[in-house]
């Protein structure tokens, strides 16, 4: 899987070939391929012809020489990969023999097998989506993907398709016209005003995210529309620093585990209704988790080298869910010790926590002095408690998590089986050591015995730090950052309390009904290089689900050493898992594809843009990742009829190896208004100049363009206003920021034809350059063939002023904060035009891009 | 509080301060006077941490912490505040947004939004709908919302005290401000950030009599609220001293403090000027 340009698989019709797909052998765009695309999509003859004509134009046209250097794009090296829809291969019998055997070997209950054989998932479909859709459909609004549009509204589409942007317009428009796939078709009938931004609320299908998408929008007389260009299903559990949370409960500010094995803050959350394919993926090592994602959702995956054989090399890469196959390895990151800088950041977070129930410790230290509230209500005071966080203390925590709880905020209580007298004695000694007080032994009752320490300080500390009930008990994040000998003692305490060893089967197990504890146990063991799998068993009510952690037999010796038992390793070949210093690799058991109507969730994570959901790494959707240089050549055509208004908003954040070459054009009739809001943050090279052809009297065009170029990036953006009628007006506002050696260019065209009277036009382009390595250029072109016009053009180039920085910093802002505040102020005229959630994300993205830009 | 010994400062090879000694105690008011170009503003900027100056000093401490290597933001966090002689414009950034960030930086949690984990944990007993609702409207009981609106309220009070219009907090920092508004904006920031050491660089220049009275009243009020804060007033004229009584008066000429005294020193300067100490 290299060189992948992925054409999203929205080919629902007559297209389900087996895996050895014919196109896979061919690179480059050929007549055959174009014809085949058209045929598979069941397109009308005229579209096929248009595609073929466009192909000829594409092949004949030379690369544009006037803008950024595009000579590295090798069209013949582009791999036009179309992935067929995989048939549902998820019954028990379809599983590879080897995996079935392993499955038997690790002893997963019968119920699990059944679950595996036919995963039944439940979805709640959101009625809002249908309400919206129906409401607009009733009023004649068409909003669908381009393929559906072509199929169901063929003649209508034909009337407009390629009329604003004919294939001959430029090489990339020709390429798109030949190979287009996906995109949206929107028609808003006369007088209808769609008052919510389309796509911000519902997107027809995920395939819009394709590389050659084609969008056609027609806004009929007096109508209005705002279109915004752009996941997980509810219930997915996400790892955060305070345990697992349902994905729909994830909120901005939560810290989630990323693929780099560290916790990072969520800065944006998204929810949208989704209609399309959902992939349900089950994997070995955790029978309780099913990963459910939309087809384009990126996952961190290691390909299986040879089917049914254990891999020799493990190299994870980002793949779309629909590219992943059974047997491939999903990965789970091993928690990393935070660097010093990160710890300082966490310290500041500590003071931000305002709730009563905040934990006491945030970072591992050899010893801590804690201020514990003492007394109640208005009598509450603080007393200090000094604790040495040595390895024996970790064992005590282990015992507590396994056997302890807190009564009434005053009593720290442990309950042991009478056979565990040695553990009771160990705890008793430890309690005296850490809290200076002897615990009281209870009477033996039902073969159990309690040990109670009457200490408000100890009780409050333990309850708030480690939890006290099945719902709240967990291993806090700082413990995972502790030295390995400490972690070993923690495991020992937990296992001695809740674990067992089956001599006959040579198998270590750990049982608990507390899910966060089970996963914390697993994370801790991964840090120690011990591989485990997690299973669970539903029991009759009122008994709760029992989770069982099974230590992989390949780790038996290691685990035995930790808990003080001697055991021998099983054969390496018998284990489906693999572990290295960064990840544990978990092979995929089954993949099931379903068409669904449901809500999907996703969120953005600072720096790493990834998170662990359902126990494996996933990437957030808005920043697509491709392993090799890739090309995005979309075409957007818009027709704004008399008195109508259309706004089109894009914030692109492509990964930094994408060539983003997009043609966008609107034809605006009498008294119509077109507004482009265009933000370019990502990509390697962007060349994009949204344009308005003002062809009716009184028409207006507005282009707001924002560009941010960092290391290795070229943002060549701007806009075109073509005044073809009298009393037309227009405005271009361009704001660009270059830093870390990035390059921005404003390229604009203003043209007034002879006979277009009283045209008013205002162009303003401001560039901000943050360092000496970076660069900004302006290429304005004005062709005015009429005298009676009012034109203004203002341009400015500025650097971050040392005086401004000093002023802001003298008020306490760090250099990075001060710089990003100046930048936010600079782009404010554009940001204020965005819907709130986009504005917030944009500011956040820019701030992230800025970090490390200075100092 | 602030103690400086033998401070020498140069910029681009040119020596501006030539061995300044200064000690400011807790709660004291010092006035620094001197002719143009004597180095008063440089001293103020160097204490606040302006990066363009090369600084050498045998002792340069604030509350026993060495300032020499601290960046301006770190000094602000320690409680040093400089009211600028010529505040710069920051376009697109509102006064409120700026002060909110600044307050967050120097005072920490007071007005931060607590992490969502804290919110959701507290509201774990609510159903999902109401959580969503709370998130959307901002729960009235949420500390963050309350703190933020309290902070806004506080700023509005200061602004009205300084006779700055209601929309003042929404305006871009110093952009299109009149000379008097710029000065009052500096005072507003001082009041909002509650620093321990305030240095006001020619806060009185460009103010008319009413403006001067207002600013002086605000400074007095601030010092009543924040007892223990120290103040360094840099000025050419003794007129502001009618309203604010200094504990010490220093005269700076050609990069050195040439004389220190009490109130009567200011009166002497008012009458005779700086000729006595000037070499040229």
């Amino acid at each position: 899987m290299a060189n992948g340009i992925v054409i999203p698989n929205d080919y629902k019709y007559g297209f389900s070939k087996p895996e050895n797909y014919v196109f896979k052998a061919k690179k480059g765009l050929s007549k055959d391929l174009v014809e085949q695309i058209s045929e598979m999509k069941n397109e009308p003859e005229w579209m096929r012809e248009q595609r073929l004509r466009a192909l000829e134009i594409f092949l004949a046209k030379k690369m544009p020489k006037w803008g950024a250097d595009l000579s590295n794009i090798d069209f013949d090296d582009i791999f036009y990969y179309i992935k067929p829809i995989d048939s549902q291969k998820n019954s028990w019998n379809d599983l590879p023999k080897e995996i079935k055997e392993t499955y038997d070997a690790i002893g997963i209950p019968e119920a699990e097998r059944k679950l595996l054989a036919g995963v039944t998932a439940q979805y709640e479909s959101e009625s809002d989506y249908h309400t919206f859709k129906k409401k607009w459909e009733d009023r004649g609004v068409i909003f669908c993907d381009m393929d559906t549009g072509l199929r169901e509204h063929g003649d209508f589409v034909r009337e407009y398709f390629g009329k604003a942007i004919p294939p001959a317009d430029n090489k990339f428009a020709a390429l798109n016209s030949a190979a287009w796939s996906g995109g949206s078709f929107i028609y808003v009938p006369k007088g209808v005003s769609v008052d919510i931004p389309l796509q911000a609320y519902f997107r027809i299908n995920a395939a819009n995210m394709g590389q050659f998408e084609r969008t056609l929008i027609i806004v009929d007389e007096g109508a209005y529309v705002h279109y915004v260009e752009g996941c997980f299903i509810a219930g997915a559990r996400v790892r955060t620093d305070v345990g697992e949370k349902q994905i729909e409960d994830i909120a901005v500010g939560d810290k989630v585990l990323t693929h780099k094995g560290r916790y990072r803050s969520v800065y944006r959350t998204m929810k949208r209704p989704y209609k399309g394919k959902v992939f349900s993926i089950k994997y070995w090592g955790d029978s309780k988790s099913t990963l459910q994602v939309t087809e384009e959702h990126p996952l961190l995956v290691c390909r299986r080298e040879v089917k049914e054989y254990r891999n020799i090399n493990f190299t994870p890469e980002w793949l779309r869910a629909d590219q992943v196959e059974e047997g491939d390895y999903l990965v789970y990151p091993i928690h990393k010790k935070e660097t010093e800088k990160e710890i300082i950041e966490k310290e500041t977070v500590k003071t931000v926590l305002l709730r009563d129930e905040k934990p006491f410790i945030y970072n591992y230290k050899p010893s801590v002095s804690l201020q514990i509230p003492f007394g109640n209500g208005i009598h509450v005071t603080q007393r200090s408690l000094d604790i040495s966080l040595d390895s024996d203390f970790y064992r005590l925590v282990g015992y507590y998590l396994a056997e302890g709880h807190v009564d009434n905020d005053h009593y720290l209580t442990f309950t042991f089986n009478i056979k565990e007298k040695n553990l009771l004695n160990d705890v008793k000694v430890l309690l005296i050591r850490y809290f200076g007080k002897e615990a009281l032994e209870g009477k033996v009752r039902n073969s159990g015995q309690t040990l109670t320490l009457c200490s408000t300080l100890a009780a409050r500390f333990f309850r708030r730090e480690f939890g006290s009930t099945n719902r709240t008990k967990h291993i806090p994040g700082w413990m995972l950052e502790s030295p390995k000998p400490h972690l070993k003692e923690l495991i020992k305490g937990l296992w001695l309390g809740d674990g067992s060893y089956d001599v006959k089967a040579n198998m270590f197990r750990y049982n608990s009904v507390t899910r966060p504890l089970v996963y914390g146990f697993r994370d801790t063991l991964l840090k120690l290089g011990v591989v485990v799998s997690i299973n669970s068993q539903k029991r009759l009510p009122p008994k709760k689900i029992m989770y069982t952690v099974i230590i992989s037999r390949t780790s038996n010796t290691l685990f035995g050493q930790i808990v003080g038992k001697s055991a021998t390793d099983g054969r390496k070949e018998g284990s489906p898992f693999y572990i290295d210093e960064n990840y544990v690799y978990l092979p995929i058991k089954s993949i099931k594809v379903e068409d669904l109507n449901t809500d999907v969730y996703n969120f953005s994570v600072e720096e790493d843009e990834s998170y662990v959901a359902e126990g494996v790494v996933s990437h957030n959707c808005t920043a697509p990742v491709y392993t090799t240089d890739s090309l995005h050549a979309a075409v957007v055509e818009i027709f704004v009829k008399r008195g109508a208004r259309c706004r089109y908003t894009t914030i692109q954040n492509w990964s930094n190896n994408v060539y983003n070459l997009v043609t966008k054009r609107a034809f605006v009739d009498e008294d119509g208004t077109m507004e482009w809001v265009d933000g370019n943050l990502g990509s390697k090279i962007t060349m994009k100049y949204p344009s308005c052809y003002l062809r009716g009297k009184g028409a207006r065009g507005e282009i707001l363009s924002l560009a941010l170029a960092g290391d290795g990036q070229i943002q060549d953006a701007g806009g075109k206003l073509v005044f073809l009628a009298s009393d037309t007006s227009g405005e271009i506002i361009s704001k660009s920021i270059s830093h870390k050696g990035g390059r921005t260019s404003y390229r604009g065209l203003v043209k007034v034809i002879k006979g277009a009277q009283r045209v008013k036009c205002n162009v303003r382009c401001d560039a901000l350059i943050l360092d000496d390595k970076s660069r900004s250029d302006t290429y304005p072109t004005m062709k005015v063939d009429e005298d009676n016009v009012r034109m203004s053009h203002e341009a400015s180039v500025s650097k971050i002023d040392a005086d401004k920085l000093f002023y802001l910093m003298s008020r306490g802002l760090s250099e990075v904060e001060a710089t990003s505040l100046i930048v936010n102020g600079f782009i404010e005229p554009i940001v204020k035009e965005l819907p709130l959630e986009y504005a917030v994300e944009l500011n956040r993205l820019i701030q992230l891009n800025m970090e490390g830009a200075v100092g | 509080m602030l103690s400086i010994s033998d401070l020498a400062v140069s910029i681009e090879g040119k020596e501006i301060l030539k061995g300044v000694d200064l000690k400011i105690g807790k709660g004291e008011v010092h006035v620094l006077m001197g002719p143009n170009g004597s180095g008063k503003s440089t001293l103020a900027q160097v204490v606040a941490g302006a990066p363009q100056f090369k600084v050498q000093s045998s002792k340069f401490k604030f509350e026993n912490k060495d300032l020499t290597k601290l960046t301006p933001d770190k000094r602000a966090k320690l409680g040093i505040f400089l009211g600028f002689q010529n505040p710069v414009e920051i376009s697109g950034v509102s006064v409120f947004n700026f002060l909110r960030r600044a307050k967050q930086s120097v005072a920490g949690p007071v007005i931060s939004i607590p992490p969502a984990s804290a919110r959701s944990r507290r509201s774990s007993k609510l159903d999902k709908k109401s959580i969503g609702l709370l998130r959307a409207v901002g729960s009235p009981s949420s500390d963050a919302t309350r703190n933020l609106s309290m902070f806004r309220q506080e700023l509005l009070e200061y602004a009205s005290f300084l006779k700055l219009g209601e929309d003042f907090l929404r305006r871009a920092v110093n952009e299109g401000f009149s000379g008097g508004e710029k000065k009052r904006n500096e005072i507003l920031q001082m009041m909002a950030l509650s620093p321990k050491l305030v240095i006001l660089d020619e806060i009185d220049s460009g103010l008319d009599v009413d403006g001067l009275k207002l600013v002086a009243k605000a400074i007095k009020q601030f010092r009543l609220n924040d007892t223990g804060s120290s103040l360094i007033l840099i000025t050419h004229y003794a007129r502001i001293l009618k309203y604010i009584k200094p504990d010490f008066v220093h005269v700076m000429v050609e990069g050195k403090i040439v004389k220190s005294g009490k109130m009567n020193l200011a009166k002497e300067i008012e009458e005779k000027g700086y000729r006595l100490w000037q070499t040229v």
Side-chain angles (χ1 to χ4, degrees), chain B residues 4-12 14-15 17 42-43 45-61 66-70 75:
Chain B
I4 301 173
S5 299
D6 199 24
L7 173 72
V9 170
S10 58
I11 184 165
E12 288 159 7
K14 193 182 158 209
E15 200 173 31
L17 298 184
T42 301
L43 178 61
Q45 302 229 340
V46 164
V47 173
Q52 66 267 38
F53 298 105
K54 198 165 164 255
V55 174
Q56 278 182 319
S57 176
S58 61
K59 193 178 179 189
F60 189 27
K61 285 186 170 173
D66 187 18
L67 289 180
T68 320
K69 287 195 174 138
L70 294 184
R75 299 187 198 197

Side-chain angles (χ1 to χ4, degrees), chain A residues 242 245 248-249 251-252 254 351-355 803-804 806-814 817 821 824-825 828, chain B residues 49-50 72-73 76 81-82 84 88-89 91-93 98 101-102 105 109 116-118 120-121 135 174 186 189:
Chain A
V242 291
K245 279 180 93 171
E248 60 271 33
D249 293 337
V252 170
D254 283 358
T351 51
V352 174
L353 288 159
L354 291 171
R355 69 199 142 106
D803 290 344
K804 283 185 189 173
F806 175 50
Y807 186 67
L808 296 179
M809 286 177 76
S810 78
R811 300 298 183 251
L813 276 66
S814 69
E817 288 167 342
L821 195 63
N824 284 350
E828 194 262 353
Chain B
D73 52 322
F81 177 91
L82 169 62
F84 281 65
V88 292
E89 294 177 4
S91 44
V93 178
F98 168 43
R101 303 253 194 138
S105 299
S117 55
S120 63
R121 194 174 283 189
R135 262 181 214 158
N174 292 319
E186 296 295 292
Q189 293 174 41

Side-chain angles (χ1 to χ4, degrees), chain A residues 175-410:
Chain A
L175 173 63
N176 177 284
S177 302
W180 72 267
S181 179
S184 298
F185 174 63
I186 296 169
Y187 171 72
V188 187
K190 279 183 191 171
V192 173
S193 191
V194 182
D195 51 14
I196 49 163
L198 288 184
Q199 175 118 359
Y201 289 85
F202 51 93
R203 207 161 89 181
I204 285 297
N205 95 37
N208 292 14
M209 287 297 285
Q211 276 66 56
F212 303 107
E213 84 261 25
R214 183 92 189 188
T215 294
L216 175 60
I217 301 175
I218 300 150
V219 195
D220 216 331
E221 294 180 5
Y224 169 70
V225 70
H226 181 189
Y227 181 75
V228 185
E229 266 184 32
C231 304
F232 267 91
I233 312 275
R237 282 163 296 219
V238 179
R239 282 287 297 174
T240 77
D241 61 337
V242 291
E244 286 189 325
K245 279 180 93 171
Q246 309 269 89
I247 191 160
E248 60 271 33
D249 293 337
I250 289 284
V252 170
D254 283 358
K255 290 194 177 268
V256 300
L257 186 62
T258 75
H259 74 281
K260 292 192 176 161
R262 54 189 189 175
Y263 290 101
R264 281 293 175 270
S265 296
V266 171
Y267 64 87
R268 190 176 87 129
T269 60
M270 285 157 282
K271 172 190 173 184
R272 62 184 167 96
Y274 173 83
K275 187 184 171 198
K277 290 194 173 44
V278 169
F279 285 67
S280 299
I281 301 173
K282 295 201 74 113
Y283 56 94
W284 296 96
D286 189 347
S287 68
K288 247 357 240 184
S289 296
T290 303
L291 186 68
Q292 290 188 315
V293 290
T294 56
E295 57 192 339
E296 86 287 10
H297 198 101
L299 299 169
L300 193 54
V301 172
C302 178
R303 282 269 187 225
R304 175 77 67 153
E305 290 164 340
V306 184
K307 233 180 178 175
E308 301 193 19
Y309 283 90
R310 193 184 159 82
N311 269 24
I312 296 163
N313 301 304
F314 288 85
T315 320
E317 57 184 318
W318 293 104
L319 292 176
R320 292 166 49 117
D322 58 3
Q323 294 174 301
V324 174
E325 291 171 12
E326 283 168 29
D328 288 349
Y329 296 86
L330 293 171
V331 309
Y332 180 84
I334 295 168
H335 184 275
K336 295 273 167 51
K337 191 165 167 51
E338 306 262 316
T339 65
E340 207 175 325
K341 178 178 166 265
E342 288 161 341
I343 287 172
I344 292 165
E345 284 167 6
K346 282 177 75 175
E347 291 261 43
T348 54
V349 169
K350 175 177 179 174
T351 51
V352 174
L353 288 159
L354 291 171
R355 69 199 142 106
D356 306 332
E357 286 298 286
K358 64 185 176 187
F360 294 101
I361 305 174
Y362 291 85
N363 303 304
Y364 166 74
K365 285 180 199 134
S367 65
V368 289
S369 179
L370 310 170
Q371 294 298 316
I372 314 268
F374 198 78
N376 281 316
I378 55 163
H379 306 293
V380 78
T381 54
Q382 301 222 311
R383 294 217 185 150
S384 57
L385 174 66
D386 295 314
I387 293 275
S388 162
L389 299 181
D390 50 25
S391 57
D392 287 342
F393 179 76
Y394 280 61
R395 191 170 71 254
L396 177 63
V397 173
Y399 287 135
Y400 170 77
L401 291 171
E403 313 278 30
H405 69 279
V406 168
D407 277 334
N408 287 335
D409 241 13
H410 297 296

Side-chain angles (χ1 to χ4, degrees), chain A residues 474-642:
Chain A
H474 66 281
I475 299 172
W478 57 266
M479 284 195 116
L480 284 170
E481 290 162 19
S482 319
K484 283 188 181 168
H486 290 49
L487 296 179
K488 287 181 180 171
E489 289 300 313
L490 175 69
I491 292 295
K492 189 174 176 182
L494 275 162
W495 186 82
L496 288 174
D498 277 344
S500 62
Y501 175 61
D502 182 338
V503 184
K504 217 165 136 195
N506 185 24
M507 189 186 287
F508 286 102
R509 284 200 184 91
Y510 170 80
N511 297 306
S512 174
V513 293
T514 306
R515 190 184 153 93
L517 207 52
V518 166
Y519 282 85
F521 184 78
R522 189 260 307 258
D523 288 353
T524 312
L525 281 174
L526 289 180
K527 285 208 76 167
L528 297 170
V530 174
V531 184
V532 303
S533 59
I534 298 175
N535 302 305
S536 68
Q537 208 177 344
K538 275 211 182 91
R539 300 181 300 174
L540 285 174
K543 286 190 169 177
K544 297 197 173 70
I545 294 178
M546 173 64 82
Y547 294 90
T548 304
V549 180
I550 297 165
I551 314 300
S552 167
R553 269 182 241 159
T554 52
S555 301
N556 267 2
T557 315
L558 198 54
F559 189 80
Q561 279 165 3
I562 295 170
V563 298
K565 286 246 178 232
S566 64
T568 51
D569 278 355
R571 285 191 318 128
K572 193 146 236 139
E573 295 70 31
S575 166
F577 311 115
Y578 178 74
I579 187 167
D580 63 21
E581 57 178 356
N582 296 317
Y583 301 109
V584 59
Y585 299 82
L586 311 161
I588 294 176
K589 277 194 241 188
S590 67
I591 301 176
K592 192 177 154 190
V593 190
E594 283 170 291
D595 274 307
L596 281 182
N597 239 329
T598 182
D599 275 351
V600 292
Y601 298 83
N602 196 4
F603 52 86
S604 308
V605 182
E606 285 180 6
E607 292 180 75
D608 299 347
E609 291 294 356
S610 67
Y611 50 91
V612 172
E614 290 297 312
V616 290
V617 170
S618 179
H619 197 281
N620 105 54
C621 284
T622 51
V625 173
Y626 300 93
T627 42
T628 53
D629 279 6
S630 193
L631 172 62
H632 175 236
V635 164
V636 177
E637 294 178 286
I638 298 179
F639 294 86
V640 181
K641 302 285 184 149
R642 190 158 60 95

Side-chain angles (χ1 to χ4, degrees), chain A residues 795-835:
Chain A
S796 77
V797 179
S798 49
K799 295 196 170 184
I800 291 264
D801 194 331
D803 290 344
K804 283 185 189 173
L805 267 187
F806 175 50
Y807 186 67
L808 296 179
M809 286 177 76
S810 78
R811 300 298 183 251
L813 276 66
S814 69
E815 191 171 358
V816 171
E817 288 167 342
T819 308
S820 70
L821 195 63
I822 293 171
V823 169
N824 284 350
F826 174 75
I827 59 170
E828 194 262 353
I830 289 178
V831 172
K832 73 178 181 202
E833 297 297 328
L834 295 173

